Amino acid sequence: MDSRKATSGDHNRHRPLPDCVSKGFKPSRSLAAVAKTRCSKKCATASEAPRSGEAQHRAWADLPSDILGIVVSRLPLVEDRAKLRSVCRAWRAAARLHRRPPPPLPLLVLSDFSFTSFCAEGTLTGVRLRVPLPDRETGAAGSVRCVGSFEGWLVAVKLNKGRYFGDLRCFLMNAFSQDVVRLPPPSAPIHSGDAYSRSLPVINGSGVVKCAFNTAHCVMSFSKVVLSSSPDSGSKCVVVAISVVKSEAKLALWRSGMKSWCVCDGGCITEFIDIIFCQEKLYMLSVSESTGNLLAFEISDDDDCLMVSRVECREIEQPVGMDAYCEMWSIVEWRGKLLIVVTYSCDAEFWQQITDVRVFEADLSTNPIRLIEIESLDGDFICLSTCSSKSFRSCDYDVVEGDLIYFIDGCIYPDRFVYNMKDGTMAPVAADIPEDKFWAPNGKLMNPTWLFPPE
């Protein structure tokens, strides 16, 4: 997946057009008109140019940079952009000089770290290449699973014998450059020399949140990890993980320079559903059979480590028509707003059969938080999985339609489907992916993770 391994221009000038341009790109009428105009201007001096076969082969390698820039902007898949850059030096330079194109469509990383991408029909293709894992972090035993992503980075953990023994390793890996950032082991002996702890009251709620750094040994197994920014930003990147072991949930914080995790627990964290960074705050969705709460955490530096400095809990007002058979709650940021996506069934006896999907905007200015149902994403689309989620502007692409929500989750049925907000219909997606790609090496069901390339 490393796009920098390019062949030289001298070897590529005499080759036919690459597939990403001859097949994957359909020029618009305006582009065709521009090309025709430029061609007509060159016809005036055609008699001066050599008419050899070599000149005809060289013509495509000498395309003007603005034409190549338009081509780059019309390639939605990251692998097609990498193929274009690898043709020759001139094409690679033109791709860099052109205005930044919209981010490419996401990839779906499966349990064995192979990936799949969108095809022309808006569905997911079969299994493609595999992301190479670092031997130092994975070892020979395997049992590595993905628990989160941010832009081109994946968050992976390695199990220690079994889930109830916690995770042995945790690391960030750039899927394209293979750069690795090692995080402290989630379940490791704690050195008590620099012990520090703090208890914070929950504003508008009951109980306290206890935050501890180097105070005691604990076993953690991460189910989801979110990042505030790219690891390339250094100390600005805050990593937050949710650990669930034997139904006991903990919140873990880390940034560059910390030798261990800051571990937080409390009564408000036990009913964890989902977490997300939005508007420079960490939000946690906590839902039980009778109530739903949204917790807002403010995180700050304290004695060279991260600590939670404020916790506010607000109840979520149950919307009309919501019943007790909700199957999955997810939170996602959309144009600076916090959306809550709910899938549910109408009968508890058939809880695995999803019958409806509803999308709500959370009004963060009210207490309790009011959920406003929306029936359109203004042409955008959303990709959701248990470990990652993001919204996209579909107007940047011709591949994916707007007002669609792609669900990838192995715990519900159908576990891979796309929901159309325009007509309320559901359709299967990723049907060509083998079932074993959704299972981790230890035999446990693993939820695939959306990967969002940055360029």
Side-chain angles (χ1 to χ4, degrees), residues 70-136:
I70 297 175
V71 174
V72 174
S73 67
R74 294 291 300 277
L75 294 176
L77 301 182
V78 64
E79 55 262 43
D80 287 343
R81 296 182 185 183
K83 291 176 183 178
L84 183 143
R85 291 194 301 268
S86 68
V87 170
C88 62
R89 294 190 182 96
W91 284 39
R92 186 161 60 253
R96 292 173 179 172
L97 291 174
H98 183 66
R99 66 178 180 83
R100 187 175 182 180
L105 288 171
L107 307 172
L108 184 66
V109 180
L110 304 172
S111 62
D112 61 350
F113 287 84
S114 60
F115 68 90
T116 179
S117 58
F118 284 94
C119 59
E121 295 78 17
T123 58
L124 293 174
T125 64
V127 176
R128 305 289 290 275
L129 300 177
R130 183 176 181 270
V131 179
L133 296 175
D135 293 336
R136 179 177 176 181

Side-chain angles (χ1 to χ4, degrees), residues 66-373:
D66 54 348
I67 294 289
L68 291 172
I70 297 175
V71 174
V72 174
S73 67
R74 294 291 300 277
L75 294 176
L77 301 182
V78 64
E79 55 262 43
D80 287 343
R81 296 182 185 183
K83 291 176 183 178
L84 183 143
R85 291 194 301 268
S86 68
V87 170
C88 62
R89 294 190 182 96
W91 284 39
R92 186 161 60 253
R96 292 173 179 172
L97 291 174
H98 183 66
R99 66 178 180 83
R100 187 175 182 180
L105 288 171
L107 307 172
L108 184 66
V109 180
L110 304 172
S111 62
D112 61 350
F113 287 84
S114 60
F115 68 90
T116 179
S117 58
F118 284 94
C119 59
E121 295 78 17
T123 58
L124 293 174
T125 64
V127 176
R128 305 289 290 275
L129 300 177
R130 183 176 181 270
V131 179
L133 296 175
D135 293 336
R136 179 177 176 181
E137 306 305 324
T138 59
S143 298
V144 176
R145 70 184 192 280
C146 191
V147 291
S149 69
F150 187 92
E151 294 184 350
W153 291 81
L154 294 172
V155 187
V157 294
K158 178 179 172 59
L159 285 173
N160 184 8
K161 296 182 180 179
R163 186 171 182 82
Y164 293 142
F165 291 95
D167 293 329
L168 180 65
R169 297 178 182 272
C170 181
F171 59 95
L172 312 176
M173 185 188 71
N174 191 299
F176 304 96
S177 66
Q178 277 75 61
D179 292 336
V180 174
V181 177
R182 297 176 180 88
L183 278 62
S187 303
I190 300 297
H191 303 286
S192 58
D194 299 323
Y196 182 83
S197 62
R198 169 192 290 179
S199 295
L200 292 172
V202 180
I203 301 174
N204 294 329
S206 59
V208 298
V209 171
K210 299 178 182 179
C211 301
F213 181 77
N214 279 350
T215 58
H217 176 268
C218 67
V219 175
M220 292 191 294
S221 181
F222 293 159
S223 58
K224 182 172 184 176
V225 179
V226 296
L227 281 66
S228 64
S229 60
S230 171
D232 299 322
S233 62
S235 60
K236 294 182 181 180
C237 173
V238 175
V239 181
V240 178
I242 278 289
S243 166
V244 180
V245 177
K246 295 183 179 180
S247 300
E248 182 180 349
K250 289 182 173 65
L251 189 71
L253 315 174
W254 181 88
R255 66 158 171 75
S256 179
M258 293 174 57
K259 296 182 179 180
S260 63
W261 296 86
C262 175
V263 182
C264 308
D265 58 12
C268 62
I269 300 178
T270 56
E271 297 291 345
F272 151 75
I273 294 294
D274 203 0
I275 54 175
I276 191 175
F277 274 106
C278 182
Q279 300 177 3
E280 299 183 352
K281 288 185 180 181
L282 176 72
Y283 288 95
M284 174 184 289
L285 182 63
S286 175
V287 179
S288 63
E289 293 183 359
S290 57
T291 61
N293 296 301
L294 188 67
L295 292 94
F297 294 84
E298 294 183 11
I299 302 172
S300 61
D301 281 297
D302 193 336
D303 294 336
D304 297 326
C305 72
L306 288 178
M307 279 282 174
V308 175
S309 57
R310 187 176 187 272
V311 184
E312 181 181 3
C313 177
R314 280 187 284 176
E315 186 177 349
I316 298 175
E317 185 180 84
Q318 294 292 326
V320 176
M322 188 68 68
D323 56 27
Y325 306 127
C326 300
E327 306 303 339
M328 184 176 70
W329 295 62
S330 302
I331 47 180
V332 60
E333 183 180 8
W334 174 64
R335 301 188 181 185
K337 302 175 182 178
L338 195 64
L339 298 186
I340 297 180
V341 182
V342 184
T343 62
Y344 66 102
S345 62
C346 60
D347 194 330
E349 294 182 1
F350 302 98
W351 65 273
Q352 289 184 319
Q353 182 65 53
I354 301 301
T355 59
D356 198 6
V357 178
R358 301 177 68 182
V359 183
F360 303 92
E361 176 188 341
D363 186 353
L364 303 179
S365 64
T366 62
N367 190 14
I369 293 177
R370 187 165 60 99
L371 296 185
I372 305 170
E373 187 167 8

